[in-house]
Amino acid sequence: MKAILFLGTSLVSAQYLRQSVEALGLRPIFLLRINEYSGLPRRAIEACEYYEADVNSMDDTLYAIRQHNFMDSVAAVTSFLDETFQNVCAISDHFGVAGPDPALAQLTDKIITQKMIPEFCPPSMVFTLSDISEERLRFFLGSQKTCNTFVLKPGISSGAVGVFILNDDTTTEQITQLICHSQIEKAESRCWIIQPRISGHLYSLEGYVQHGQIFFLGFSKRIREGLTEIVNEFPANKSLPDYLQQRCYEAVKVLVQRSNYLNGYFHCEFIVNSETVYFIDGNVGRVAGASIVQQIALAYDKKPVDVIKHVIDLGLFKGINTSGFRYGTISKNQTLSISYCLPSPATVLGVTLPKNMTSFHTPIIDNG
């Protein structure tokens, strides 16, 4: 049986991937760091064929492929991690197997997407450590008259990895130290971006593109503790005024058109305040992470396995195997997901769930 190679997976989606892939007449192979997973996601991965690799490193990924020599059985390659899609596209081209929409090679980079639709984005300063100067930094920070805190982030990342908060008196030396200690591979040679830290709510517009036609599924509203997203409401359209929704729709439409993105899912992120919206991340190529795939399934009365199957088939095979799949109308007007954890390091002895619970529960660590 031919296989789909996954360069990593999100935690919640891991439990559904094997069944979704097998429904397409294929089997999954994973490349990842297995020690980055525990609980139910790890058990789901270990039930499949998997090999160790740092999938954020193209060199390490190619080394693992050569070492284990499995590409003859691979029909396609993809991922459920935003930051790996450039490597996914490169592997697809290198080995001549099916891969995601070629537009993803650029759309996973925050800097490129914001250059495509600057009219929807916050002011930005893009730099590498080799070309940043104190004069340029002072000019940019000083030009944002209504802002005294800023966000520093790499062009390619997800889950707030490598994101730092700056003050208006931050120096280039301090930025250099932050980047060099960010634990991001080749951080010193990457492109980085500084933007004003805009007050507002974090929304994500969920949907997909098929043959260039956009289908919007609804808005997610996310609540953060620090830089970590812990609560998500879906659909949250009712909490967002229509004129702000229309601005978000327009941003996604323009991005799809200018990038020539034809087939695949998206979860485009916006900071929303009472006056306007700011596009901050494209997040294209897969359904959103955390528990949002379960929320979409609940809201539309679908099974998560079937949603994941459509995500994979649309992204890799233009939806030819799921041509009859339709979301239809929303059957549940609101769902809620909560990522819960402890405030300090500890050993989890057990979790007691409410009786007669009708929700999904995904333990991502094991007791003990």
Side-chain angles (χ1 to χ4, degrees):
M1 182 185 292
K2 285 284 190 177
I4 296 177
L5 174 63
F6 290 88
L7 302 191
T9 175
S10 60
L11 297 177
V12 173
S13 294
Q15 64 191 296
Y16 304 115
L17 283 176
R18 180 177 181 177
Q19 188 176 348
S20 299
V21 171
E22 289 178 347
L24 293 169
L26 299 161
R27 61 187 175 88
I29 298 176
F30 293 98
L31 276 183
L32 39 69
R33 294 292 195 203
I34 194 63
N35 285 337
E36 294 178 355
Y37 299 85
S38 59
L40 181 57
R42 178 165 181 154
R43 292 193 291 275
I45 293 166
E46 290 178 332
C48 304
E49 185 177 349
Y50 75 92
Y51 303 100
E52 287 281 332
D54 176 5
V55 293
N56 291 307
S57 165
M58 188 64 177
D59 291 340
D60 201 53
T61 301
L62 286 171
Y63 176 81
I65 289 173
R66 289 193 297 267
Q67 182 183 25
H68 299 290
N69 194 29
F70 53 72
M71 285 304 295
D72 285 347
S73 65
V74 170
V77 57
T78 189
S79 179
F80 272 66
L81 299 175
D82 295 322
E83 66 271 22
T84 65
F85 272 115
Q86 284 195 341
N87 286 349
V88 166
C89 292
I91 294 295
S92 171
D93 290 342
H94 184 81
F95 290 96
V97 298
D101 193 308
L104 294 191
Q106 292 189 311
L107 287 174
T108 53
D109 190 322
K110 297 175 178 64
I111 294 169
I112 294 177
T113 56
Q114 296 195 24
K115 287 181 178 178
M116 285 185 181
I117 55 169
E119 64 268 39
F120 297 97
C121 302
S124 303
M125 173 182 159
V126 177
F127 66 95
T128 64
L129 288 185
S130 63
D131 64 20
I132 190 173
S133 69
E134 195 68 37
E135 180 181 7
R136 184 179 171 214
L137 177 64
R138 298 269 67 79
F139 177 81
F140 177 76
L141 299 183
S143 66
Q144 309 305 310
K145 303 299 184 183
T146 60
C147 181
N148 57 15
T149 56
F150 298 81
V151 177
L152 168 67
K153 55 188 177 182
I156 301 175
S157 71
S158 66
V161 175
V163 177
F164 303 98
I165 304 302
L166 310 179
N167 297 317
D168 56 5
D169 59 355
T170 299
T171 65
T172 56
E173 181 179 352
Q174 291 170 320
I175 289 174
T176 299
Q177 290 298 313
L178 290 172
I179 291 175
C180 289
H181 292 90
S182 65
Q183 298 184 334
I184 294 177
E185 186 187 22
K186 299 178 180 178
E188 295 87 347
S189 60
R190 287 176 179 251
C191 286
W192 291 73
I193 184 170
I194 298 175
Q195 295 175 325
R197 190 182 188 189
I198 299 167
S199 297
H201 296 289
L202 178 62
Y203 281 83
S204 175
L205 179 50
E206 320 294 343
Y208 62 95
V209 182
Q210 187 161 17
H211 305 306
Q213 182 178 357
I214 302 174
F215 297 86
F216 294 114
L217 297 176
F219 286 91
S220 291
K221 183 179 181 181
R222 305 184 184 183
I223 299 173
R224 287 174 165 174
E225 178 66 32
L227 293 174
T228 302
E229 295 162 12
I230 58 170
V231 174
N232 187 75
E233 300 173 12
F234 178 86
N237 298 46
K238 290 183 179 179
S239 67
L240 195 58
D242 185 67
Y243 70 96
L244 295 178
Q245 290 188 38
Q246 294 304 317
R247 181 71 174 168
C248 295
Y249 294 142
E250 184 63 22
V252 174
K253 289 175 183 176
V254 174
L255 180 65
V256 168
Q257 180 183 27
R258 292 179 184 172
S259 65
N260 197 32
Y261 184 43
L262 297 177
N263 292 285
Y265 273 67
F266 59 80
H267 51 290
C268 296
E269 291 185 346
F270 299 85
I271 295 294
V272 180
N273 57 36
S274 59
E275 298 177 356
T276 190
V277 305
Y278 294 93
F279 176 96
I280 59 170
D281 206 343
N283 290 331
V284 296
R286 69 173 180 96
V287 71
S291 299
I292 296 177
V293 64
Q294 296 172 325
Q295 292 182 261
I296 292 173
L298 284 170
Y300 283 94
D301 198 23
K302 300 291 183 185
K303 297 179 180 178
V305 165
D306 293 331
V307 173
I308 295 291
K309 178 183 175 184
H310 186 244
V311 172
I312 296 169
D313 185 45
L314 179 61
L316 293 176
F317 311 117
K318 302 179 182 179
I320 61 174
N321 302 292
T322 51
S323 58
F325 182 86
R326 299 288 186 277
Y327 277 99
T329 57
I330 288 178
S331 61
K332 293 182 177 64
N333 289 327
Q334 192 170 34
T335 68
L336 179 73
S337 68
I338 301 171
S339 300
Y340 63 94
C341 57
L342 300 173
S344 58
T347 298
V348 176
L349 301 179
V351 176
T352 302
L353 300 175
K355 294 181 179 180
N356 303 318
M357 189 179 74
T358 58
S359 304
F360 295 107
H361 180 257
T362 303
I364 61 171
I365 60 170
D366 290 314
N367 295 342

